[in-house]
Amino acid sequence: MTTELQTQAEHLKVPYTDLSNFQLEGALLSLMPVDWMLRFTCLPLGTYGNQLQIAFSDPELINHVEELELLARRRISLVLAPKEKIEAILKESQSSQKVLQDATSDFRIQYVPDEDSDEVIDIDKLVGDRSPLVRLVDTTLYNALERRASDIHIETAAQHVLIKYRIDGVLFAAMEPIDKKHHATIISRIKVMSQLDIAEKRVPQDGRFKLKIKGRFIDFRVSIMPTIHGEDAVIRILDKESTHENFRSLNLEILGFRGQVLKELRRCIHEPYGMVLVTGPTGSGKTTSLYACVTEIQNSEDKIVTIEDPVEYQLQGVTQIPINEKKGLTFARGLRSILRHDPDKIMVGEIRDNETAQIAIQSALTGHLVFTTVHANNVLDVIGRFVHMGVDLYNFVSALNCVIAQRLVRLICDHCRKPIEIPRSELEISGIKPDQLLDAQLFAGHGCLACHGTGYRGRTVIAEILILTDEVRQAILERRPLRELKQLVHATGMRFLREAAVEKFLSGETTLHEINKATFIE
């Protein structure tokens, strides 16, 4: 069956390929200028003598073949290919990393100040901007989005400046170290973008800015911290689409919730009122889980209002309020105002104090469904955390529908995963018994272009869920010892975090190293 693209190839008198057998190779991608690959959505397929074969999707490229032949210093032959396939390969490759390396190489020249306030970043700007400083900062941001980074760290040492990306929860060097003499100008550029005080270098500063990249606006949150070698900066990227392509239709299954945990959580979030509480350390995906819950229950009949610090993802049809402590808008004050806006369901970004906790509990008891988070290690530690805040224990357990504790573990890269064997001694140290491995197939990633040599790509959630049954509520009110509570909830069929982590390992989704890093060995 002839496709529309194949018909177009016949009209243009060029061959057609669907790129089904294309293999990512770093040597191939170095055969062509990076800005051409990204601008015209094309990529080199290989060399044949003195001829370079290029897959392309934009017919406009045919008019630029002669110019491209001069740049490549060889003859060019064109092959038509699907645009989405080429874009996917370029996204997985390190092509944008080469743009970043080109930008940093310009730092050998003297920096000329150029306060460019343009808020639009595109590939033409990255390769054409005359200011090396602006190119460095803009390209660092652009490349971080291409590599799915959640944070950019600019760290100052005695002789140099390091720029790192946090990808899937782990830090990686973004480029070679930069000379220390450029440190002040890099930090100043970030301060100007964030509307912070350039002259102040002795106290921490926090700010934010927004950029338009690839036709969409993305928020960045900035934190500047003075150190012994100078100021460090951390830029948090608030962009849900860079985290996962499927986040545009966010739900609990995409995050990695499975089996009994998924079934019970879905039942709890469809209750008419009560509190759904998510707990875990910083960076464990609590807020994202709440967004997934809100997205799943959203409908035209209910008014949903959130109060967050900050608003990380914008949800259509949901009223979202960012807190502003400088202006006096705290979680507690905002939550009181929300209750006067006749909401059906409320999401509170985090419970940090007694006042917020009391209002949230009262809201759950008076007919609202409340979603919120709190910092604790597991579902049973949450109880102690609220007692420590001074809330009434009876009201708390009456309001609570369920508590979810979660962690994030990295997934093995699909492109380079291979079966492995793990020594029995290592499994025993990790508390895994030989009989658990009878039907298990263990894998590990060996590193490739798609995962930037790490062996991991993407993350998934591991979770435990505590359902507040009458028996569990009674045990909590009687303040029974933690060991008794654990035995009781385990007898009701609850699986703990470690058990969920081991299941992910035995199913070949992640590695022993990852689950040991995320959970305690029992």
Side-chain angles (χ1 to χ4, degrees), residues 221-284:
R221 190 173 56 185
V222 178
S223 176
I224 308 289
M225 181 71 70
T227 72
I228 57 171
H229 296 299
E231 291 178 295
D232 280 12
V234 175
I235 303 171
R236 167 63 60 88
I237 301 170
L238 305 175
D239 176 33
K240 66 174 181 178
E241 291 184 14
S242 72
T243 313
H244 196 297
E245 290 81 356
N246 293 330
F247 271 32
R248 297 168 196 179
S249 56
L250 184 62
N251 62 54
L252 294 168
E253 285 178 333
I254 286 172
L255 300 186
F257 287 96
R258 298 284 186 273
Q260 192 67 17
V261 172
L262 176 63
K263 182 180 176 183
E264 291 178 341
L265 178 54
R266 277 192 169 146
R267 181 175 59 80
C268 288
I269 66 176
H270 285 90
E271 296 284 357
Y273 58 87
M275 182 183 285
V276 175
L277 193 58
V278 183
T279 187
T282 301
S284 59

Side-chain angles (χ1 to χ4, degrees), residues 454-468:
T454 63
Y456 299 97
R457 184 173 171 82
R459 287 190 289 179
T460 189
V461 71
I462 53 172
E464 62 184 14
I465 184 166
L466 173 65
I467 303 297
L468 271 290

Side-chain angles (χ1 to χ4, degrees), residues 66-123:
E66 290 182 3
E67 188 179 348
L68 191 56
E69 285 178 338
L70 287 172
L71 286 168
R73 295 181 181 177
R74 63 181 75 198
R75 300 288 295 174
I76 299 292
S77 65
L78 297 176
V79 180
L80 193 64
K83 183 177 181 179
E84 60 275 8
K85 288 279 186 73
I86 297 175
E87 287 177 341
I89 291 167
L90 288 175
K91 196 168 184 180
E92 289 175 358
S93 75
Q94 290 176 306
S95 55
S96 55
Q97 179 69 15
K98 289 179 209 150
V99 179
L100 187 55
Q101 290 167 353
D102 291 344
T104 57
S105 67
D106 284 345
F107 259 66
R108 297 191 193 100
I109 66 173
Q110 183 67 34
Y111 164 63
V112 179
D114 177 14
E115 292 305 329
D116 185 354
S117 60
D118 188 4
E119 286 195 336
V120 179
I121 293 182
D122 57 28
I123 194 65

Side-chain angles (χ1 to χ4, degrees), residues 7-113:
T7 305
Q8 189 179 6
E10 289 175 10
H11 176 71
L12 295 172
K13 296 181 180 179
V14 296
Y16 169 80
T17 177
D18 62 3
L19 294 174
S20 56
N21 297 320
F22 182 83
Q23 296 291 323
L24 277 173
E25 292 179 15
L28 269 183
L29 296 169
S30 64
L31 294 172
M32 213 179 147
V34 175
D35 55 315
W36 277 78
M37 282 192 274
L38 297 175
R39 187 184 300 162
F40 289 104
T41 318
C42 62
L43 62 117
L45 298 177
T47 55
Y48 303 91
N50 192 39
Q51 195 173 71
L52 175 63
Q53 192 176 66
I54 293 175
F56 76 108
S57 63
D58 185 357
E60 179 67 19
L61 188 66
I62 292 175
N63 300 325
H64 297 273
V65 169
E66 290 182 3
E67 188 179 348
L68 191 56
E69 285 178 338
L70 287 172
L71 286 168
R73 295 181 181 177
R74 63 181 75 198
R75 300 288 295 174
I76 299 292
S77 65
L78 297 176
V79 180
L80 193 64
K83 183 177 181 179
E84 60 275 8
K85 288 279 186 73
I86 297 175
E87 287 177 341
I89 291 167
L90 288 175
K91 196 168 184 180
E92 289 175 358
S93 75
Q94 290 176 306
S95 55
S96 55
Q97 179 69 15
K98 289 179 209 150
V99 179
L100 187 55
Q101 290 167 353
D102 291 344
T104 57
S105 67
D106 284 345
F107 259 66
R108 297 191 193 100
I109 66 173
Q110 183 67 34
Y111 164 63
V112 179

